[in-house]
């Protein structure tokens, strides 16, 4: 988790950070039209699985950039505007998920898939907790609304998406990587 | 429906502006509305007309936005507007907390109050104010200057390149997504009729998401090779495009900063700018 390659920020991280952000933005925009029940402006986003996958595959910096920039792009394209705390929360979500990179050796091994999903779920909790709690200061909501109205639905929705789609993405990635030879 | 962005040079006021000015002005308006939480129509309406004016003088042709605008109208009016009207959520808690007369009930006895109706109208106007500033950017800002703009705004080379690439990849992946969707539909995939519960619906999105994501990882390797061959990251980079502020940029930057500071001062200094239902609107229903 603390080895050099995990925290390296080179060409690979720049490119995959940008790709992850663009994909997250496009998929978020496409799925912003399915709001979670009782979640205010929090929306149901299968794109979260893409963010968790990019974090797990390419590391915490990629997760942070993809989450922060991608959420900003997706919100801007959808007309939501710019909510720095939700963008940063999404960045944290990708960053924590990216800590799984050092622990993953084989993308189609069951144990490694569970690790990626586990770190992804931890990232979702950290990121959404940050965003929901900061909403108390930016949105003037109370703690109960932050936890029940924002945090819980967002975590449940994102967790379901992650548990279902991240294993599929990892297995598909393993096949692509083996064909590509790197 | 997703679109592929089309940049085209036009001799307009908007395109003569420095790209940094446009990004900073957009940021000022968005932050002015979101940081001090402005929900007062007396602030939102003038800002809406400023955004609308800037959008109209962008001279974007109807054929360019004929797909994105209806999508945005549907999203804002039917999804956000209806959500606000039915639940009163997505805004300040005062929407549902303040006592407000019930105008009528819908569905299974959901009360539609005057407060919820005004909130829905305010939310729609607020979102259009921000959206109208964003929509013209892909059509009127040269993709070659995204990176330069972020670099000149103080970002590092790597972060500037990340932003630049993200903006460039966005329409490409949107196009890839559309191609994948069409290809899957040709194979019998029913996009408009995803049946089953939440889990089944998410699983059925995989044929749309996986091909686009996997193709993007392959594209990424090619881009990395190209950048490595050009020694990216070994030394600080020079940037081909030079950006200079003109008087018109200072005017718009000043306006943006004034909007942001004004909203903060009114809200935090004088307590003006929060959500309330104006009397003239309440009187319409009593």
């Amino acid at each position: 988790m603390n080895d050099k390659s995990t925290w390296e920020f080179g060409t690979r991280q720049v490119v995959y950070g940008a790709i992850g952000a663009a994909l997250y933005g496009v998929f978020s925009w496409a799925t912003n039209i399915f709001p979670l029940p009782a979640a205010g402006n929090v929306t149901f986003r299968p794109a979260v699985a893409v963010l968790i996958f990019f974090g797990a595959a390419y590391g915490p910096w990629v997760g942070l950039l993809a989450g922060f920039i991608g959420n900003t792009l997706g919100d801007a394209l959808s007309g939501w505007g710019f909510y720095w705390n939700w963008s940063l929360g999404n960045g944290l979500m990708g960053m924590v998920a990216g800590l799984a990179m050092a622990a993953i050796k084989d993308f189609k091994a069951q144990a490694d898939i569970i690790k990626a999903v586990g770190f992804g779920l931890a990232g979702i909790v950290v990121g959404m907790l940050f965003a929901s709690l900061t909403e108390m200061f930016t949105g003037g909501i109370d703690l109960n609304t932050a936890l029940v109205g924002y945090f819980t639905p967002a975590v449940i929705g994102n967790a379901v998406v992650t548990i279902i789609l991240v294993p599929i993405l990892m297995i598909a990635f393993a096949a692509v990587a083996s064909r590509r030879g790197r | 429906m997703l679109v592929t962005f089309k940049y085209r040079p036009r001799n307009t006021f908007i395109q003569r502006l420095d790209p940094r000015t446009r990004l900073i002005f957009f940021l000022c308006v968005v932050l002015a509305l979101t940081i001090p939480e402005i929900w007062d129509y007396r602030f939102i309406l003038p800002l809406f007309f400023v955004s609308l004016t800037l959008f109209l003088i962008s001279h974007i042709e109807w054929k360019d936005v004929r797909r994105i605008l209806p999508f945005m109208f549907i999203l804002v009016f039917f999804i956000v507007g209806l959500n606000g009207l039915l639940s009163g959520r997505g805004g300040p808690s005062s929407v549902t907390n303040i006592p407000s007369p019930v105008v009528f009930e819908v569905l299974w006895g959901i009360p539609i109050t005057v407060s919820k109706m005004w909130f829905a109208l305010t939310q729609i106007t607020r979102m259009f104010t921000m959206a109208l500033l964003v929509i013209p950017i892909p059509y009127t800002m040269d993709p070659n200057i995204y990176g330069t703009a972020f670099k000149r705004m103080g970002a590092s080379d790597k972060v500037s390149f990340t932003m630049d690439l993200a903006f460039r990849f966005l329409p490409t992946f949107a196009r890839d997504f559309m191609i994948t969707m069409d290809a899957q539909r040709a194979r019998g995939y029913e996009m408009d009729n995803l049946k089953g519960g939440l889990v089944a619906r998410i699983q059925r999105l995989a044929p749309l998401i996986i091909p686009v994501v996997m193709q993007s990882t392959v594209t990424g390797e090619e881009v990395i090779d190209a950048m490595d061959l050009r020694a990216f990251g070994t030394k600080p980079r020079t940037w081909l495009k030079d950006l200079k502020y003109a008087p018109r940029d200072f005017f718009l930057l000043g306006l943006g900063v004034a909007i942001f500071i004004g909203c903060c001062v009114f809200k935090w200094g004088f307590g003006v700018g929060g959500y309330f239902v104006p009397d003239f609107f309440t009187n319409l229903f009593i």
Side-chain angles (χ1 to χ4, degrees):
Chain A
M1 194 178 295
N2 290 314
D3 65 308
K4 187 167 173 266
S5 63
T6 305
W7 293 101
E8 187 183 345
F9 188 52
T11 313
R12 176 167 291 271
Q13 286 69 31
V14 167
V15 172
Y16 282 114
I19 288 176
L23 284 173
Y24 191 47
V26 167
F27 288 133
S28 296
W29 187 45
T31 54
N32 261 348
I33 56 171
F34 304 114
L36 270 172
N41 279 341
V42 181
T43 49
F44 164 57
R45 285 180 170 178
V48 167
V50 177
L51 173 63
I52 302 295
F53 163 73
F54 265 78
Y58 301 109
W61 289 126
V62 170
L64 177 69
L65 288 169
F68 184 81
I69 301 171
N71 187 71
T72 305
L73 289 174
D75 280 356
L77 286 170
S78 307
W80 297 111
F82 173 57
Y83 292 87
W84 65 269
N85 55 326
W86 285 99
S87 290
L88 198 52
N90 276 271
L92 286 172
M93 189 158 73
M95 191 177 193
V96 174
L99 298 175
M101 190 184 87
I104 295 174
K105 301 283 181 286
D106 181 0
F107 277 83
K108 59 179 187 297
Q110 192 180 20
D112 285 349
I113 290 173
I114 291 170
K115 282 178 199 165
V117 172
F119 274 95
L121 294 177
I124 289 167
V125 170
V126 171
M128 293 301 97
L129 192 63
F130 173 84
S132 302
L133 292 181
T134 47
E135 193 68 23
M136 288 167 60
F137 306 103
T138 60
I141 60 172
D142 54 36
L143 181 65
N144 187 47
T145 308
L147 294 178
V148 178
Y150 285 80
F151 173 72
T152 309
V155 166
I156 292 171
N158 290 347
V160 169
V161 162
T162 299
I163 291 166
I164 296 168
L165 288 179
V166 168
I168 302 173
L169 281 163
M170 288 182 71
I171 291 166
F173 181 69
V176 171
S178 68
R179 274 205 303 273
R180 208 168 54 220
R182 57 177 171 175
Chain B
M1 186 66 75
L2 293 167
V3 293
T4 305
F5 306 135
K6 291 175 186 171
Y7 165 74
R8 195 177 310 133
R10 304 167 178 85
N11 187 24
T12 60
F13 171 77
I14 291 293
Q15 291 202 355
R16 283 193 293 272
L17 287 168
D18 187 300
R20 291 170 294 179
T21 304
R22 298 178 60 189
L23 293 171
I24 293 169
F25 182 77
F26 164 69
L27 209 60
C28 284
V29 171
V30 170
L31 293 179
L33 288 172
T34 53
I35 292 210
E37 281 290 300
I38 297 293
W39 289 96
D40 187 334
Y41 76 101
R42 292 170 300 183
F43 291 76
I44 294 172
L45 216 51
L47 288 177
F48 170 75
F49 284 113
V50 169
S51 296
L52 185 65
T53 305
L54 290 173
F55 177 79
L56 291 176
I57 64 173
S58 298
H59 291 297
I60 301 173
E61 289 81 1
W62 168 245
K63 64 181 179 184
D64 285 337
V65 288
R66 69 182 175 192
R67 295 172 88 177
I68 187 174
L69 277 188
F71 177 84
M72 194 151 282
F73 272 94
I74 290 168
L75 175 77
V76 173
F77 277 104
F78 292 100
I79 307 297
V80 177
L82 272 181
N83 186 40
L85 192 65
L86 295 174
S87 69
R89 286 179 179 276
S93 51
S94 51
V95 176
T96 48
N97 288 350
I98 55 173
S100 180
V102 176
V103 181
F104 57 92
E105 292 185 349
V106 291
L107 300 173
W108 297 276
I110 298 172
I112 304 298
T113 62
V114 173
S115 179
K116 283 182 182 175
M117 290 171 75
W118 183 250
F119 169 68
L121 286 173
T122 309
Q123 176 76 302
I124 287 169
T125 314
R126 200 170 182 261
M127 288 192 73
F128 270 122
T129 302
M130 295 187 269
L132 286 173
L133 288 174
V134 178
I135 294 170
I137 288 178
Y139 301 96
T140 58
M141 195 184 284
D142 185 353
N144 288 321
I145 54 175
Y146 284 140
T148 316
F150 287 110
K151 175 65 184 172
R152 297 285 179 254
M153 284 165 73
S156 71
D157 281 342
K158 287 178 178 173
V159 172
S160 300
F161 258 85
T162 306
M163 298 293 288
D164 187 289
L165 285 172
F167 272 96
R168 283 165 182 257
F169 280 133
L170 200 66
T172 308
F173 293 150
R175 183 203 58 197
D176 290 351
F177 183 74
M178 286 179 68
I179 291 170
T180 305
M181 199 161 67
D182 290 343
Q184 299 291 21
R185 274 178 169 161
R187 290 168 174 83
Y189 179 84
E190 292 185 18
M191 174 72 188
D192 308 317
N193 191 22
L194 290 176
K195 292 175 182 170
L198 185 65
V199 174
R201 286 182 184 207
I202 293 168
Q203 277 178 329
R204 290 192 186 117
L205 288 174
L208 292 180
I209 293 174
I210 305 295
V212 181
V213 175
M214 291 309 125
Q215 180 55 42
S216 74
T217 63
V218 176
T219 305
E221 293 296 338
E222 291 164 5
V223 176
I224 290 166
D225 285 345
M227 288 171 71
D228 282 343
L229 285 169
R230 289 161 179 78
F232 177 81
T234 52
K235 284 182 181 176
R237 299 191 69 82
T238 54
W239 295 74
L240 194 61
K241 295 268 182 183
D242 196 22
L243 300 175
K244 283 197 177 86
Y245 286 120
R248 56 177 170 264
D249 295 302
F250 290 116
F251 169 74
L252 206 63
L253 285 172
L255 180 65
V257 172
I259 288 169
F260 175 67
I261 293 174
C263 285
C264 291
V265 169
F266 272 105
K267 182 72 189 292
W268 293 326
F270 300 101
V272 180
Y275 179 76
F276 77 100
V277 184
D279 290 340
F280 75 84
F281 190 74
T282 307
N283 292 338
L284 290 175
F285 301 95
I286 296 176

